[in-house]
């Protein structure tokens, strides 16, 4: 009988099943409810979104950072969408990071645009961790975007900046591990939960500008091939920051009348990769712009925010990268 | 071979039905697409029901070799480990754990009650329960089904399918059918349960019952302290055993070291028992290697005489990959006066989860 069982065991392991690995029994899984309640005291409920973190995401992270997920970080993970009476307030994402003292588990609280809001140690087995290290990590990360946190590292990303190493003294090594965790958390959230993060941000944008009226509906309008070709001709084959194939538009309607359009698209600026959300009204005016993760730098934020309230110009009148991006997105999403 | 009791069957049906009906509830609340999108086609409903779902096939084979001569035995287990979070437009409202296992024992003397004899197959419900979490942001939940009896160190530490175990054998029940209230407050975690007292199989034979509970500081801290109670009549092969037990447990984490202590004691039928368990363990930085040693002391009556029993265990667990682990343990009983107890045993286990 034991031979039969061993054969069965071997056979099952040779099956070409998806090898998403879950090493521990699932009854050991616990929602970080205390962390969620502490990080978002105003929240009324949360929603779990479970996704598989696979080798593709691991590779993508390695393209933009000099470190990536260790293999134990692959598998299914949960992103908690924290809500207040149905409105998303942000996310809680718990990730473990290898330090020289073992694994440290951090519950990161993210804003909807994936900038860092707060954090709490779920597990840090260093005596006095909350007293010695937490204030430093809070100081380095809270309120910062991905790019601002990336700027805390040396150019090659293998340590903290020399000035921070001096400032933090003997806790700089631990702080570096926590910064790595913060960067990976933002990237993994943006990649694995790309669709959900985009949807929640679009809804937040609609709520900001149109209120919570149930009569507002959203219609997904695909971008057609002809428009892409036309734009390519207009721009003379020149490239831009916008990945045009990724453009999606969503018409906002109230009682059958069109009120505006939200256009989303992936875009790049140097090492930065993000997703735009532009809101246009029916008169070609830019009502709102946000990007996920948050803006790569203050200059980009200022440049794009200058377009708010202005009308989209024709291509020959565009002088800045922001204006060109606006023109492209509007062109691709409108007839 | 054990079969499903009507109540077990009922709970299985309810949980499977709820998996399908919950499909309609999945949509990012308030999301733009959720306002237009409806799950109207069966295939869409099926896809939605697989959201927030984790499952693996869990297989293990275990061999017990008595080092001082005697009976060796095998135990093989294969089963499903399924975890699903249910949600509606207001957020998460519950978590289902579903772990039916088919277990084969060979040449096992004194098998658990749910085996007919020492060479038998049995359906083992490791855990099958639904925890309703929508009441108070995780601070007050209600669990229904077959769940781990909340008592002592095992409440916070994963011993599901592992060689490494704590003191449940002194109470002869690890998991039970019933309901509990549980939650995580800011400074305290708690669970209090009322259960059937019959263990793996739901049975009202001899009218067993069990009240159990533990309240402790959060497991996220480096020093964790808890107190537990266990009161009831638990079902044995021939009748029930009355237990009134209290316990205190302590866990301290220091870098990669873990130190555990559990002291329990109370009345068992007409006797008074005390149990001590200590453990020191170390994990490698990535936690793929775990080394541990345990010391146990039990004081109870055997054949009318009070006896103090001592044993030590040294164990190792190594994860070859994230899905495959090998464990080994040597248990040595210093007091071999007990019937059917070898003085030393080597246990080996290979476990694969895919």
């Amino acid at each position: 009988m034991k031979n039969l069982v061993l054969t069965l065991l071997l056979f099952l392991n040779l099956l070409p099943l998806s090898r998403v690995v879950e090493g521990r029994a699932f009854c050991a899984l616990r929602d970080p409810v205390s962390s969620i309640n502490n990080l978002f005291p105003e929240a009324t409920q949360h929603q779990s979104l479970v996704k598989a973190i696979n080798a593709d995401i691991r590779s993508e992270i390695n393209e933009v950072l000099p470190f990536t997920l260790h293999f134990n970080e692959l598998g299914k993970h949960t992103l908690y969408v924290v809500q207040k009476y149905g409105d998303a307030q942000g996310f809680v994402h718990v990730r473990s990071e290898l330090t020289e003292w073992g694994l440290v588990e951090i519950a990161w609280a993210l804003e909807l645009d994936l900038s860092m809001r707060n954090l709490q140690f779920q597990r840090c087995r260093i005596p006095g961790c909350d007293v010695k290290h937490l204030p430093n990590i809070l100081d380095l990360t809270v309120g910062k975007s991905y790019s601002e946190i990336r700027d805390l590292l040396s150019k090659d990303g293998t340590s903290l900046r020399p000035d921070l190493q001096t400032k933090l003294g003997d806790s700089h090594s631990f702080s570096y591990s926590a910064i790595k965790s913060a960067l990976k958390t933002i990237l993994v959230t943006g990649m694995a939960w790309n669709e959900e993060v985009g949807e929640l941000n679009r809804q937040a944008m609609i709520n900001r500008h149109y209120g919570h009226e149930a009569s507002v509906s959203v219609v997904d309008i695909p971008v057609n091939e002809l428009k892409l070709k036309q734009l390519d001709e207009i721009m003379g084959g020149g490239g831009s920051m916008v990945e045009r194939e990724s453009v999606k538009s969503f018409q906002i309607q109230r009682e059958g009348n069109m009120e505006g359009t939200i256009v989303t698209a992936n875009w790049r600026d140097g090492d930065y990769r993000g997703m735009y959300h532009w809101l246009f009204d029916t008169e070609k005016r830019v009502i709102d712009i946000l990007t996920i993760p948050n803006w790569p730098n203050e200059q980009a934020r200022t440049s794009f925010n200058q377009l708010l309230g202005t009308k989209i110009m024709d291509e020959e009148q565009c002088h800045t990268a922001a204006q060109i991006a606006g023109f492209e997105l509007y062109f691709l999403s409108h007839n | 071979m054990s079969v499903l009791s009507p109540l077990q069957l009922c709970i299985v049906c309810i949980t499977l039905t709820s998996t399908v009906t919950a499909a309609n509830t999945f949509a990012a609340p308030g999301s733009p697409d959720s306002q237009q999108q409806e799950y109207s086609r069966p295939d869409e409903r099926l896809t939605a029901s697989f959201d927030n779902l984790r499952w693996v096939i869990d297989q293990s084979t275990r061999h017990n070799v008595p080092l001082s001569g005697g009976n060796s035995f095998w135990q093989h287990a294969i089963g499903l480990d399924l975890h699903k979070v249910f949600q509606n437009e207001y957020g998460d409202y519950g978590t289902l754990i579903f772990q039916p296992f088919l277990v084969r024992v060979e040449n096992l003397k004194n098998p658990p009650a749910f085996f007919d004899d020492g060479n038998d197959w049995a359906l083992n419900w490791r855990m099958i329960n639904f925890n309703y979490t929508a009441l108070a942001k995780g601070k007050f939940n209600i669990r229904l089904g077959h769940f781990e009896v909340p008592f002592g160190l095992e409440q916070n530490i994963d011993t599901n399918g592992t060689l490494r175990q704590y003191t449940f054998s002194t109470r002869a029940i690890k998991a039970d059918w019933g309901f509990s209230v549980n939650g995580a407050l800011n400074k305290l975690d708690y669970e209090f349960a009322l259960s059937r007292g019959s263990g793996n199989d739901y049975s009202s034979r001899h009218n067993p019952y069990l009240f159990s509970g533990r309240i402790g500081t959060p497991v996220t801290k480096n020093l964790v302290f808890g107190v537990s109670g266990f009161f009831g009549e638990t079902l044995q092969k021939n009748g029930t055993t009355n237990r009134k037990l209290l316990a205190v447990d302590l866990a301290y984490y220091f870098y990669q070291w873990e130190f555990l202590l559990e002291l329990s004691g109370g009345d068992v039928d007409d006797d008074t028992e005390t149990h001590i368990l200590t453990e020191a363990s170390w994990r490698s930085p990535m936690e793929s290697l775990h080394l541990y040693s345990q010391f146990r002391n039990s004081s109870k009556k055997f054949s009318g005489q009070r006896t103090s029993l001592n044993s030590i265990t040294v164990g190792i667990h190594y994860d070859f990959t994230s899905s495959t682990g090998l464990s080994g343990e040597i248990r040595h009983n210093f007091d071999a006066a007990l019937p059917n107890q070898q003085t030393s045993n080597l246990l080996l286990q290979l476990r694969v989860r895919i």
Side-chain angles (χ1 to χ4, degrees), chain A residues 1-2 5-6 8-9 12-13 17 19-31 33-34 37-38 40-41 43-50 70-72 76-78 80 83 86 98-103 121-127 130 199-200 202-203 206 214 216-219 250, chain B residues 26-33 35-36 50 52-57 59-61 74 76 78 81-83 85 87-92 95 97 99 104 106 121 127 137-139 155-156 158 160 184-186 189 219-222 252-256 285-287 322-323 350-354:
Chain A
M1 178 52 67
K2 61 179 173 273
V5 174
L6 285 169
L8 180 65
L9 200 145
L12 278 166
N13 286 296
L17 296 172
R19 290 219 173 203
V20 172
V21 162
E22 304 286 354
R24 295 176 66 196
F26 294 141
C27 50
L29 292 176
R30 298 196 178 174
D31 288 342
V33 288
S34 290
N37 293 335
N38 288 335
F40 289 89
T44 55
Q45 72 264 10
H46 67 264
Q47 184 189 27
S48 301
L49 298 171
V50 179
H70 49 80
F71 282 101
N72 283 7
K76 288 203 168 179
H77 289 259
T78 304
Y80 299 91
Q83 299 160 335
L98 181 64
T99 72
E100 55 190 288
W101 308 277
L103 292 176
F121 288 119
Q122 281 280 109
R123 179 176 63 158
C124 180
R125 301 316 190 189
I126 302 165
D130 278 348
E199 279 182 13
L200 290 165
R202 281 198 298 278
Q203 185 59 47
I206 290 169
V216 173
S217 64
V218 177
V219 181
F250 303 87
Chain B
F26 181 81
S31 67
D33 290 352
Q35 295 180 15
Q36 291 241 324
F50 282 97
N52 288 338
L53 175 70
R54 292 172 164 96
W55 66 273
V56 296
I57 302 292
Q59 318 137 70
S60 65
T61 190
W74 287 86
H76 314 288
I78 183 164
D81 183 0
L82 182 147
H83 178 279
V85 179
Q87 52 199 202
N88 56 23
E89 65 270 32
Y90 304 111
D92 293 354
T95 303
I97 306 279
Q99 299 176 329
R104 167 76 187 175
E106 290 178 26
W121 291 92
M127 302 295 146
K137 295 166 64 178
K139 293 173 183 167
Q155 175 76 356
N156 282 335
D158 176 27
N160 185 304
L185 308 175
N186 200 24
D189 295 347
V219 73
T220 54
K221 300 297 178 192
N222 288 345
Y252 179 62
Y253 300 91
F254 182 76
Y255 297 98
Q256 287 143 256
M286 284 295 285
E287 302 191 357
S322 305
S323 61
L350 174 66
R351 188 178 187 187
V352 182
R353 288 167 56 83
I354 54 169

Side-chain angles (χ1 to χ4, degrees), chain A residues 121-145:
Chain A
F121 288 119
Q122 281 280 109
R123 179 176 63 158
C124 180
R125 301 316 190 189
I126 302 165
C129 198
D130 278 348
V131 176
K132 187 177 179 190
H133 296 296
L134 187 59
N136 291 337
I137 313 301
L138 286 167
D139 189 41
L140 291 170
T141 58
V142 169
K144 292 187 176 160
S145 68

Side-chain angles (χ1 to χ4, degrees), chain B residues 19-230:
Chain B
T19 305
V20 176
T21 53
N24 284 318
T25 66
F26 181 81
S31 67
D33 290 352
S34 69
Q35 295 180 15
Q36 291 241 324
Q37 190 175 332
E38 287 181 2
Y39 293 109
S40 52
R41 297 203 318 267
D43 58 330
E44 286 176 333
R45 279 201 292 274
L46 193 63
T47 305
S49 72
F50 282 97
D51 283 316
N52 288 338
L53 175 70
R54 292 172 164 96
W55 66 273
V56 296
I57 302 292
D58 188 327
Q59 318 137 70
S60 65
T61 190
R62 184 180 293 187
H63 189 41
N64 181 316
V65 184
L67 297 177
S68 45
N71 183 53
S72 73
F73 72 86
W74 287 86
Q75 179 182 306
H76 314 288
I78 183 164
L80 177 68
D81 183 0
L82 182 147
H83 178 279
K84 171 146 175 82
V85 179
F86 290 95
Q87 52 199 202
N88 56 23
E89 65 270 32
Y90 304 111
D92 293 354
Y93 68 81
T95 303
L96 172 72
I97 306 279
F98 188 69
Q99 299 176 329
F101 276 72
L102 201 55
V103 182
R104 167 76 187 175
V105 291
E106 290 178 26
N107 206 29
L108 175 62
K109 285 191 176 170
N110 302 317
F114 54 93
F115 290 104
D116 292 340
D117 56 50
N119 292 283
D120 190 24
W121 291 92
L123 182 63
N124 174 215
W125 296 109
R126 283 194 183 165
M127 302 295 146
I128 169 170
N129 62 72
F130 183 78
N131 199 24
Y132 184 69
T133 57
L135 294 171
K137 295 166 64 178
K139 293 173 183 167
F140 182 81
N141 311 315
I142 298 173
R143 193 191 307 275
L144 174 71
H146 190 244
F147 51 84
E148 196 157 29
V149 172
F151 187 88
L153 290 167
E154 285 169 285
Q155 175 76 356
N156 282 335
I157 297 173
D158 176 27
T159 55
N160 185 304
T162 59
L163 284 188
R164 182 187 177 219
Q165 295 292 331
Y166 297 111
T167 58
F168 87 88
S169 59
T170 65
R171 300 178 296 279
I173 190 165
K174 186 175 177 73
D176 201 11
W177 297 89
F179 78 94
S180 80
V181 292
N182 63 87
L185 308 175
N186 200 24
K187 304 281 184 196
L188 288 172
D189 295 347
Y190 72 92
E191 180 154 17
F192 296 101
L194 172 60
S195 54
R196 180 69 272 184
S198 58
N200 186 65
D201 295 320
Y202 185 92
S203 171
S204 57
R205 185 167 52 92
H206 301 296
N207 201 24
Y209 68 93
L210 177 59
F211 292 103
S212 56
R214 181 187 178 277
I215 185 162
T217 54
V219 73
T220 54
K221 300 297 178 192
N222 288 345
L223 181 63
V224 185
F225 174 75
V227 293
S228 310
F230 184 105

Side-chain angles (χ1 to χ4, degrees), chain A residues 44-74:
Chain A
T44 55
Q45 72 264 10
H46 67 264
Q47 184 189 27
S48 301
L49 298 171
V50 179
K51 286 279 172 99
I53 310 299
N54 56 28
D56 292 342
I57 289 174
R58 188 175 183 275
S59 304
E60 277 186 63
I61 288 175
N62 212 14
E63 283 177 27
V64 290
L65 288 172
F67 44 81
T68 188
L69 307 177
H70 49 80
F71 282 101
N72 283 7
E73 288 186 82
L74 305 183

